Amino acid sequence: AQTAGATPENGSSIDFDNYSNLQHFRDEMEKAFIEHKLLKNKWNVTRTAEEIDIQRSHLHSKIEKLGLQRDKE
């Protein structure tokens, strides 16, 4: 079993003590995951929703709820 300092795919270390509870951890991981997928797909919401297997409208709701914003290029 992995403990504090577990290493996800990108090589960064997760300090589990930074999260007050399971919901806080889930919210932060969901935000990071969705942001990664949106950037990978150049913020194409339709393609991203298909890739992560949720409805496009649901992804729009999550983007708003999580406070994600596309960087101005």
Side-chain angles (χ1 to χ4, degrees), residues 13-58:
S13 181
I14 299 172
D15 183 355
F16 295 109
D17 292 329
N18 287 336
Y19 304 98
S20 57
N21 57 46
L22 182 58
Q23 190 60 52
H24 180 212
F25 176 77
R26 285 180 177 163
D27 290 345
E28 291 299 315
M29 290 302 109
E30 180 178 45
K31 181 176 182 176
F33 177 76
I34 290 173
E35 184 174 39
H36 171 79
K37 293 297 187 175
L38 285 165
L39 290 170
K40 176 184 168 201
N41 289 309
K42 299 180 179 154
W43 273 80
N44 182 315
V45 175
T46 300
R47 189 178 309 137
T48 302
E50 289 172 355
E51 185 174 321
I52 65 175
D53 197 28
I54 64 172
Q55 293 180 358
R56 188 175 51 84
S57 60
H58 193 186

Side-chain angles (χ1 to χ4, degrees), residues 58-71:
H58 193 186
L59 180 55
H60 275 292
S61 297
K62 286 186 174 291
I63 290 169
E64 186 174 328
K65 175 189 167 210
L66 297 168
L68 293 171
Q69 294 183 341
R70 183 178 191 166
D71 288 337

